[in-house]
């Protein structure tokens, strides 16, 4: 039905736009209320964290940076790693020329082999002389005993011959004896006397030969002294051998632990001197956090207290740590230019104490590198 110019709209047609506008206003107010509540909640959480948590932004990842150096001079012949490489314990990183040491080792080995041969020769000669002189001495002792055993019989024969000769002389004086008997007994006496002299001479001769055999055995003492003189030389050469082997080993620079090569300071062909740094390495499994905490907040960081760590390199990740040690003096005490304030002008500045935080094994997963910036969070509970 058409409506004429003089007609008016119905109340129902006018209420529809008004209802829609009211609904939009209520929706905007609800959204504003939700946003306001979210902002208030976030602000409340932030204020709560600021009140109940202590934040330390002066912290870094640290590790024991080990500088490998050479104990001996020489030319660098080989470098097997570059910065960033990982290595296992005992893996060769760098070699220094060891040709001269190897030649010296060969010389010492030759001298040592000569001494070993000389020692064996002296021992063989000692055994031979011992057997020879021992046999000679035993033979001369046997001869001496035999000669000495003959002396009483010879003496008895001489005494008997003297008696017979005396009786023959007596009989000759009385005229009862014969000259033949006299000559026979005198001959027996001379024979017995010569035999006694011969046995005595034999005894003296055997004693002299026994003395010579004993003197020959003195060569054993000389040989033993020569053996004793060789032993210190062998020990000296053995010590030189071990020292040169140690030099050869020290010319090979190996990884002291499972770690990462941070820097290489030399190139192949360079001449290095004793103590010159060659490489720098660290163990990524033993990184830690070192922080400088305000003296007004150090009470919240007692040894054993748990802390949370945020690393700038990994903003979405948190790491857990434990306070391991608190420094015994403020960092200002170790300044190169101390400030004793002799003028009397004093400005009080909050000092900082060093803090060491340990990470659980395997927490870092090799992600944390020495020098990275860290933020430390600890509950504000005393």
């Amino acid at each position: 039905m058409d409506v004429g110019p003089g007609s008016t709209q119905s109340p129902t047609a006018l209420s529809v736009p008004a209802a829609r506008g009211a609904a939009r206003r209520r929706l905007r107010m609800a959204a504003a209320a939700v946003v306001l509540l979210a902002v208030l909640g976030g602000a409340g959480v932030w204020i709560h964290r600021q009140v109940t948590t202590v934040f330390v932004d002066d912290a870094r990842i640290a590790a024991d940076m080990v500088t490998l150096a050479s104990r001996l001079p020489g030319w660098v012949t080989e470098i097997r790693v570059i910065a960033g490489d990982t290595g296992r314990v005992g893996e060769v990183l760098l070699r220094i020329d060891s040709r001269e040491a190897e030649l010296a080792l060969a010389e010492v080995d030759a001298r040592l082999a000569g001494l070993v041969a000389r020692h064996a020769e002296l021992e063989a000669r000692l055994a031979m002389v011992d057997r020879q002189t021992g046999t000679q001495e035993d033979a001369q002792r046997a001869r001496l005993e035999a000669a000495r055993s003959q002396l009483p019989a010879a003496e008895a024969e001489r005494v008997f011959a003297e008696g017979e000769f005396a009786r023959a002389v007596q009989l000759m004086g009385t005229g009862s004896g014969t000259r033949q008997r006299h000559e026979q007994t005198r001959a027996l006496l001379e024979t017995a006397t010569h035999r006694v002299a011969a046995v005595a001479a034999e005894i003296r001769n055997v004693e002299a030969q026994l003395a010579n055999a004993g003197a020959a055995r003195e060569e054993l003492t000389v040989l033993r002294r020569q053996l004793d003189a060789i032993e210190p030389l062998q020990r000296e050469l053995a010590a030189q051998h071990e020292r040169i082997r140690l030099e050869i080993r020290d010319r090979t620079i190996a990884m002291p632990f499972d770690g990462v090569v941070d820097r290489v300071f030399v190139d192949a062909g360079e001449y290095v001197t004793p103590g010159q740094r060659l490489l720098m390495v660290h163990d990524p499994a033993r990184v830690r956090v070192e922080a400088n905490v305000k003296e007004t907040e150090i009470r919240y960081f007692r040894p054993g207290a748990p802390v949370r760590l945020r690393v700038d390199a990994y903003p979405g990740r948190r790491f857990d740590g434990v306070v391991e040690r608190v420094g015994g003096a403020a960092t200002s005490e170790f300044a190169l230019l101390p400030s004793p304030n002799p003028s009397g002008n004093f400005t009080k500045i909050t000092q900082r104490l060093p803090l060491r935080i340990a990470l659980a094994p395997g927490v870092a997963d090799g992600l944390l590198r020495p020098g990275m910036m860290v933020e430390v969070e600890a509950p504000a509970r005393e």
Side-chain angles (χ1 to χ4, degrees):
M1 177 189 291
D2 294 334
V3 179
S7 66
T8 60
Q9 286 183 322
S10 67
T12 302
L14 293 175
S15 63
V16 173
R20 290 176 178 174
R24 284 194 296 268
R25 286 194 299 270
R26 286 194 298 270
L27 184 60
R28 285 195 296 268
M29 292 178 62
V34 171
V35 172
L36 180 60
L37 290 176
V39 170
L40 291 176
V45 171
W46 183 84
I47 293 173
H48 180 267
R49 279 177 53 83
Q50 296 299 316
V51 173
T52 60
T53 306
V54 178
F55 299 90
V56 179
D57 56 3
D58 185 7
R60 295 174 183 269
I61 300 296
D64 294 329
M65 309 296 291
V66 179
T67 300
L68 304 181
S70 172
R71 187 177 66 86
L72 301 164
W75 302 98
V76 177
T77 59
E78 181 184 8
I79 299 178
R80 295 188 177 183
V81 293
I82 61 174
D85 286 348
T86 59
R88 306 289 295 178
V89 58
E91 182 178 341
V92 176
L93 305 178
L94 180 147
R95 293 186 187 275
I96 299 175
D97 183 22
S98 61
R99 291 174 297 174
E100 185 176 356
E102 290 173 354
L103 290 175
L105 182 63
E107 179 183 355
V108 170
D109 286 340
R111 293 175 59 190
L112 191 58
L115 282 181
V116 171
R118 176 62 176 167
H119 190 278
E121 177 188 355
L122 288 175
E123 285 185 338
R125 186 177 175 186
L126 179 66
M128 181 186 67
V129 171
D130 187 20
R131 289 193 300 269
Q132 289 179 348
T133 56
T135 302
Q136 292 176 1
E137 198 171 27
D138 292 340
Q140 296 304 326
R141 284 198 181 96
R143 288 182 58 192
L144 181 61
E145 291 177 0
R148 286 176 176 174
S149 65
Q150 293 176 4
L151 184 60
E155 290 286 350
E157 289 180 2
R158 186 178 62 109
V159 171
F160 176 77
E162 286 178 349
E164 290 295 320
F165 179 70
R167 284 193 293 274
V169 170
Q170 184 179 5
L171 291 174
M172 282 289 294
T174 59
S176 300
T178 62
R179 180 166 295 277
Q180 183 180 4
R181 177 61 179 171
H182 178 270
E183 295 297 331
Q184 289 177 349
T185 55
R186 185 174 68 178
L188 290 175
L189 177 60
E190 290 177 356
T191 301
T193 302
H194 289 316
R195 186 182 178 190
V196 170
V199 171
E202 177 68 14
I203 290 174
R204 289 192 298 270
N205 182 36
V206 174
E207 287 177 346
Q209 292 182 3
L210 182 61
N212 290 334
R217 287 190 66 82
E218 291 299 324
E219 187 179 357
L220 297 176
T221 303
V222 176
L223 294 176
R224 292 191 181 97
R225 295 294 180 269
Q226 292 178 356
L227 284 173
D228 293 340
I230 286 179
E231 290 180 358
L233 293 177
Q234 286 181 315
R235 291 196 296 269
E236 180 183 356
L237 289 178
Q240 292 182 13
H241 181 274
E242 291 301 320
R243 177 176 58 80
I244 297 174
R245 285 187 58 192
L246 178 62
E247 290 183 0
I248 294 175
R249 288 197 300 268
D250 287 348
R251 292 177 186 273
T252 300
I253 308 301
M255 197 73 176
F257 44 71
D258 295 343
V260 177
V261 178
D262 298 302
R263 287 196 64 182
V264 179
F265 298 101
V266 295
D267 294 319
E270 289 189 31
Y271 186 84
V272 297
T273 57
Q276 178 180 345
R277 63 179 185 173
L278 306 178
L279 305 102
M280 182 178 291
V281 298
H282 81 278
D283 186 354
R286 300 183 63 183
V287 296
R288 60 183 181 272
V289 176
E290 293 184 354
N292 295 315
V293 182
K294 295 179 181 179
E295 58 183 333
T296 55
E297 299 174 348
I298 196 64
R299 62 185 183 276
Y300 303 122
F301 295 91
R302 295 187 177 91
V307 295
R308 300 197 69 184
L309 309 171
R310 292 190 301 170
V311 183
D312 291 357
Y314 308 104
R317 187 167 180 176
R318 298 293 184 269
F319 301 91
D320 294 326
V322 177
V323 176
E324 184 178 12
R325 190 167 301 157
V326 178
T331 55
S332 59
E333 294 298 312
F334 308 104
L336 295 178
L337 299 175
S339 178
N341 190 27
S343 63
N345 296 325
F346 175 70
T347 301
K348 186 175 182 179
I349 300 175
T350 301
Q351 300 298 308
R352 290 180 178 266
L353 284 89
L355 189 72
R356 181 166 176 166
I357 299 171
L359 296 169
V363 171
D365 295 331
L367 299 176
L368 304 183
R369 315 290 172 77
M372 285 183 172
M373 298 300 298
V374 180
E375 292 183 6
V376 182
E377 301 177 5
R381 296 194 300 266
E382 298 187 25

